[in-house]
Amino acid sequence: MEQERLQKFMAEAGVASRRASEELIRQGRVTVNGERAALGMRIDPARDVVVCDGKRLSGREAHVVILLYKPRGVVCTSSDPEGRKTVQDCVSEIPQRLYNVGRLDINSEGLLLMTNDGALSQRLTHPRYGVEKTYYAVCDGKLAASEIALLVNGVMLEDGMTAPARVENVRTTQRGDTAFSITIHEGRNRQIRRMLEAVGHRTLRLKRERLGPLTLGNLQPGQWRRLSDGEIAALMRALGL
């Protein structure tokens, strides 16, 4: 069999994304034929014995991709030292070990993909592919036209100017706050909250409703479903796979 990069083999075995697999290798948690693995090494999956955290990896695992409605108050980690509920708790009945694709902060809710397909996860989170993400947002007070223009054209944050966004369906709530939809294609940490803070507003609610061609549909918080073959094909097309 043709040799392949170790992190690619690990991703296809369902350990983690390629990037996360590289970190496991750096930490010395991976061995090949009993020797500590090194970044960049190539292996023969048919002959070499790869072990991660004491568990031998057996090659490509059947890929699972699910769409979870992450509730507020749930953290996007495998475990939480503070004992808070995690996204892993939401999908505990699935036998495969799944990893969340990107993150939603603890106070945000909505669409979150979880998968053991490391290649898909890497492509979805890579900034080069710019997968669109649409959120329903509510911020305090009235969002002025000049502030909307800043969100649309780009806001200067501590990590640089944001890319253009779409802001639609702007309306005033009964309490006098502002509800709207915003679409971005970057994946910076807490980006929308920081964008709103930069124009003088606090985020009261943030819900991801769409990721590329995928939507929440009728899912309720904490519910999940497997993607259909058609949805996976549409997602692959959006990613150029």
Side-chain angles (χ1 to χ4, degrees), residues 3-4 33 69 79 95 117-118 136 149 156 176 179-181 202 209:
Q3 290 195 334
E4 62 181 76
N33 301 327
Y69 186 147
S79 60
D117 186 340
Y136 167 74
M156 179 57 73
F180 59 98
S181 293
R202 183 166 56 92
E209 297 185 320

Side-chain angles (χ1 to χ4, degrees), residues 137-141 143 177-180 196 201-205:
V138 180
C139 68
D140 63 345
L143 193 61
D177 298 315
T178 305
F180 59 98
L196 285 167
H201 292 274
R202 183 166 56 92
T203 303
L204 303 178
R205 187 181 181 191

Side-chain angles (χ1 to χ4, degrees), residues 18 35 61 92 229:
R18 291 191 195 186
E35 301 289 332
E61 183 179 48
S92 58
D229 290 342

Side-chain angles (χ1 to χ4, degrees), residues 79-84:
S79 60
D80 183 66
E82 298 180 30
R84 296 171 297 187

Side-chain angles (χ1 to χ4, degrees), residues 132-156:
E132 284 194 341
K133 297 173 279 286
T134 299
Y135 298 78
Y136 167 74
V138 180
C139 68
D140 63 345
K142 179 175 174 55
L143 193 61
S146 59
E147 295 165 342
I148 294 173
L150 287 172
L151 297 176
V152 169
N153 294 314
V155 179
M156 179 57 73

